[in-house]
């Protein structure tokens, strides 16, 4: 009986230790990436992602604006 109690206690302690270490590792991995020199966000600040083009709308061209006038 003592052997089973010792095994159970060892399993419980290893479970708690694994949960604690796993939680610490997960929190460290989930921290946001900080970019050096990133401007603060705001309405006048540039986008944090250089390829983010969701707000870039093409200008509306009048007929013939895309062609070069020769003559």
């Amino acid at each position: 009986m003592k052997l089973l109690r010792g095994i159970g206690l060892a399993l419980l302690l290893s479970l708690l230790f694994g949960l604690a270490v796993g939680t610490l590792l997960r929190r460290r991995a989930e921290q946001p990436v900080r970019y050096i020199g990133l401007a603060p966000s705001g309405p006048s600040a540039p986008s944090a992602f250089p390829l983010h083009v969701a707000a870039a709308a093409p200008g509306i061209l009048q007929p013939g604006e895309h062609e070069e006038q020769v003559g």
Side-chain angles (χ1 to χ4, degrees), residues 2-52:
K2 269 188 169 181
L3 180 64
L4 289 177
R5 188 178 306 155
I7 292 172
L9 183 61
L11 286 173
L12 179 63
L13 290 176
S14 67
L15 173 71
L16 293 176
F17 179 76
L19 283 174
V21 170
T23 301
L24 289 174
L25 290 175
R26 183 177 48 89
R27 283 191 178 188
R28 177 174 279 182
E30 288 178 351
Q31 288 180 349
V33 177
R34 295 185 187 128
Y35 295 100
I36 297 173
L38 184 64
S41 61
S44 65
S47 175
F49 304 102
L51 299 178
H52 182 69

